[in-house]
Amino acid sequence: DVPIEFKEADDRLVITQGGKPLAEYMKSGDDRTPRPYFRHVHAPTGQQATINNPPAEGEPDDHHAFHVGLFQAFGRLGGQDTWRLKDRVAFAGYEVTPLGGLGEASFAVRNRYTKGTAANGETYCTEIARYTILARPHGTLILWESEFLPHGQVLEFGDQEEMGLALRVNAPMNVSSNARNQSGKVGRILNSRGDLNERGVRTPKQSVWCDYSGWVDGKFIGITLMSNPRNLRQPWWHARDYGLLVCNPFARQDLGGGKKSLLRVYPGQRFFIRYGILIHSSEDEKSVDLDAAYQDYVTVSGARLRELPNLR
């Protein structure tokens, strides 16, 4: 196993794997994006898998401040909106100090969800976000668990397509062709049902994982978002051929076409949501077994994540 290591900076936590860049965890975001996110996520072979931030010359700059890499955001969190950056999510310290190691590393943070974007805004929720990074046979796996504790008011997770765990891939990986991809090949969105691209994936069908992959510097690389079996429900997928993918268990009406969803978390209760993120690299589209990778995630997460219900 290669070492996974952390280097602390004022505004970010730099993560390397085998001495190569893996990602930068932006603790409170940046000047344009006032929420935390993983910036410049790299595949195990070194190619960048998420969008350049800021975009390089010639790359798309649509929704740039919203779609910043790998992140979690909520367009309808009661009266607040962290997706469209109307409300801040601020780093409030480490719950668990970053600890690196051979093939495994972990850290946990406390985040303050505040009304508005001012630094002194009223806190309406605390999130404890726990991250475990593992070198696995199919690639680099991130275990992500978020625990939400409301402050003095009911916390409502609403029904909207912009809710949940999201990523924006590196421009050459887009399904829609663009000038940045010099190989002449476009990307691919694939879910656990075998559906392809925005037309097949962004439907009322639920699936337990979805992958966004493409060609960068001669390697087929990608990121697979995986929903934990203990989550609220299986997710729907807000997928876009221009590079966006959102794992969304909340949008039963907006994406699924069913009865409107509204999850209420009362003061004194805690709500948990868990994901796996696989960053992979291979010689071609057929060399990575994503079903096997998902089963590996289920096994690993079942052994490592705390056995707690979604809401208690």
Side-chain angles (χ1 to χ4, degrees), residues 59-114:
E59 288 185 343
D61 194 15
D62 59 289
H63 303 91
H64 170 62
F66 297 175
H67 305 165
V68 284
L70 175 66
F71 61 97
Q72 182 173 235
F74 304 97
R76 189 168 292 164
L77 193 58
Q80 277 58 61
D81 183 348
T82 64
W83 184 280
R84 296 168 189 81
L85 312 178
K86 296 179 179 179
D87 300 280
R88 178 180 293 273
V89 182
F91 177 72
Y94 287 112
E95 188 77 5
V96 177
T97 302
L99 177 65
L102 288 177
E104 179 173 350
S106 62
F107 69 102
V109 299
R110 293 187 306 277
N111 293 322
R112 290 192 308 113
Y113 282 60
T114 63

Side-chain angles (χ1 to χ4, degrees), residues 142-212:
I142 302 174
L143 306 182
W144 181 320
E145 179 187 75
S146 286
E147 175 185 355
F148 294 91
L149 302 87
H151 281 226
Q153 64 182 60
V154 179
L155 186 65
E156 295 184 338
F157 291 82
D159 191 318
Q160 195 176 84
E161 64 183 15
E162 290 100 352
M163 296 275 292
L165 181 68
L167 66 89
R168 182 71 183 264
V169 297
N170 197 357
M173 299 164 61
N174 292 354
V175 171
S176 45
S177 59
N178 61 81
R180 291 287 298 174
N181 194 330
Q182 302 302 317
S183 69
K185 300 177 181 179
V186 296
R188 181 196 72 184
I189 309 172
L190 173 69
N191 69 13
S192 59
R193 302 170 58 95
D195 302 313
L196 286 170
N197 300 340
E198 181 178 331
R199 180 182 292 272
V201 171
R202 195 180 184 277
T203 71
K205 301 174 185 176
Q206 294 164 284
S207 55
V208 294
W209 61 256
C210 192
D211 176 75
Y212 209 129

Side-chain angles (χ1 to χ4, degrees), residues 148-290:
F148 294 91
L149 302 87
H151 281 226
Q153 64 182 60
V154 179
L155 186 65
E156 295 184 338
F157 291 82
D159 191 318
Q160 195 176 84
E161 64 183 15
E162 290 100 352
M163 296 275 292
L165 181 68
L167 66 89
R168 182 71 183 264
V169 297
N170 197 357
M173 299 164 61
N174 292 354
V175 171
S176 45
S177 59
N178 61 81
R180 291 287 298 174
N181 194 330
Q182 302 302 317
S183 69
K185 300 177 181 179
V186 296
R188 181 196 72 184
I189 309 172
L190 173 69
N191 69 13
S192 59
R193 302 170 58 95
D195 302 313
L196 286 170
N197 300 340
E198 181 178 331
R199 180 182 292 272
V201 171
R202 195 180 184 277
T203 71
K205 301 174 185 176
Q206 294 164 284
S207 55
V208 294
W209 61 256
C210 192
D211 176 75
Y212 209 129
S213 295
W215 293 88
V216 178
D217 297 332
K219 288 285 188 179
F220 186 72
I221 69 169
I223 301 181
T224 312
L225 303 184
M226 305 172 174
S227 178
N228 194 281
R230 297 199 297 271
N231 280 347
L232 170 71
R233 59 175 73 96
Q234 287 189 17
W236 296 271
W237 298 89
H238 179 28
R240 293 299 196 193
D241 288 346
Y242 63 71
L244 176 70
L245 182 64
V246 185
C247 177
N248 187 334
F250 304 99
R252 184 167 56 198
Q253 182 180 84
D254 216 9
L255 290 175
K259 183 180 178 181
K260 188 174 182 179
S261 174
L262 180 62
L263 171 69
R264 291 188 174 96
V265 185
Y266 293 88
Q269 291 183 316
R270 302 179 179 209
F271 172 65
F272 295 83
I273 192 162
R274 306 170 177 95
Y275 304 102
I277 301 102
L278 178 74
I279 310 126
H280 59 86
S281 174
S282 58
E283 296 301 321
D284 55 50
E285 294 95 331
K286 297 180 181 179
S287 297
V288 57
D289 188 339
L290 295 176

